Amino acid sequence: MQYNTEAIVIKTVRYGETHAIVTLLTPTGRVSAMAKSAMKPTSRLAAGVRLCAQGTYFMYQGSGMGNIQQVEMVASRRRLHEDLQSAAYAAYFCDLVLSVAPERPHGQSAMYRQFAAILDALVERPQDADVLARVFETKMCHWLGVSPNWRACIRCGEPLTEKYRYHMVEGGFVCQHCATAQDTNQSYAVPSATSKILYLFERTPIEQLGNVKISAATHKALKQTLYYQLVDFGGLYLKSRDILNQLVDAFDRKDGENG
């Protein structure tokens, strides 16, 4: 069977001397395929197997793994390979999608569109990469089904007011009326804007967000909260996240030394 599909490369593994096994995110889910001779510099498939490349992929599907026959490129996103920090964020985003996206044909077109949008935003606004990571993590929580109602207390269901805490064991925000002394070691206070920002990130398409300004304290709370949701409740233990954090910390120390 031959077919064509829009797709974005989310993983490439060298196979033998010149071949590659490529995992693609399509509007209907992820699919893996062989790209023969794609690792040769002169191959017509070379550009189409690079991480974050997007285009129309012409496939041949036999009884086993499919083969990529041809690629019509839409976006190569070269910047994501030329800048170290951008490359680390892009690899993390690909890892998230690889872990969450269902196999074809059980995927969601919304995930494909939002993944393309987050990569485009990373190319256009690399200085906002850390905020973009929080946006995409919030959407991942939603697709995984581990998002609480960010605007309400997980115990009483009432809308959150000025003071509330994130509960690391129960996975959501607890209002000041429901919090007890026993919760002190299992929760931490967060800035009042945290719940509203998470709700905004979850519901708003990435291409409509524009520039988002967040205080350092609120961003720290967002990063910590989303980490617990993805790891403890979503089960996503990703090596790419650890590498990204180490890289960001190294850049932050360098910037501090240079003033």
Side-chain angles (χ1 to χ4, degrees), residues 89-104:
Y89 278 102
Y92 175 47
F93 295 161
C94 288
D95 216 5
L96 281 172
V97 167
L98 185 66
S99 302
V100 174
E103 290 187 359
R104 188 176 181 272

Side-chain angles (χ1 to χ4, degrees), residues 31-104:
V31 61
S32 294
M34 179 73 72
K36 293 183 178 180
S37 301
M39 305 309 290
K40 291 181 178 179
T42 56
S43 172
R44 55 190 172 83
L45 299 178
V49 301
R50 299 188 74 188
L51 207 64
C52 303
Q54 182 176 0
T56 300
Y57 289 71
F58 296 84
M59 316 274 282
Y60 173 77
Q61 183 67 55
S63 57
M65 181 180 294
N67 286 297
I68 299 173
Q69 304 290 303
Q70 183 181 342
V71 182
E72 289 186 3
M73 295 292 294
V74 172
S76 63
R77 300 189 174 96
R78 287 182 57 187
R79 175 176 172 76
L80 301 185
H81 299 270
E82 296 170 348
D83 175 72
L84 182 59
Q85 269 193 295
S86 296
Y89 278 102
Y92 175 47
F93 295 161
C94 288
D95 216 5
L96 281 172
V97 167
L98 185 66
S99 302
V100 174
E103 290 187 359
R104 188 176 181 272

Side-chain angles (χ1 to χ4, degrees), residues 89 92-93 118 128-141 197-198 201-202 214 218-224 226-227 230 241 244-245:
Y89 278 102
Y92 175 47
F93 295 161
I118 202 74
D128 295 333
D130 221 23
V131 174
L132 293 173
R134 305 294 82 81
V135 173
F136 202 54
E137 287 170 344
T138 307
K139 294 190 180 299
M140 282 291 145
C141 287
I197 292 172
L198 285 168
F201 286 175
E202 181 180 281
I214 302 173
T218 301
H219 187 270
K220 181 180 179 180
L222 290 170
K223 185 174 183 177
Q224 190 173 5
L226 289 165
Y227 174 83
L230 287 171
R241 181 197 292 116
L244 174 60
N245 288 337

Side-chain angles (χ1 to χ4, degrees), residues 13 67 117 124 127-128 146 163 176 181 247 259:
V13 177
N67 286 297
E124 295 164 7
Q127 70 278 6
D128 295 333
V146 296
K163 295 182 179 180
Q176 58 182 334
L247 181 64

Side-chain angles (χ1 to χ4, degrees), residues 160-229:
L160 296 168
T161 55
E162 289 297 313
K163 295 182 179 180
Y164 52 93
R165 305 174 69 84
Y166 175 77
H167 203 288
M168 295 176 285
V169 176
E170 298 181 23
F173 296 128
V174 178
C175 69
Q176 58 182 334
H177 302 294
C178 294
T180 65
Q182 288 75 21
D183 294 325
T184 303
N185 295 329
Q186 299 177 328
S187 64
Y188 53 85
V190 296
S192 59
T194 307
S195 68
K196 295 178 182 177
I197 292 172
L198 285 168
Y199 181 81
L200 175 71
F201 286 175
E202 181 180 281
R203 301 300 179 95
T204 307
I206 292 167
E207 57 271 22
Q208 296 179 15
L209 276 175
N211 294 320
V212 180
K213 301 299 181 182
I214 302 173
S215 70
T218 301
H219 187 270
K220 181 180 179 180
L222 290 170
K223 185 174 183 177
Q224 190 173 5
T225 298
L226 289 165
Y227 174 83
Y228 281 115
Q229 288 296 131

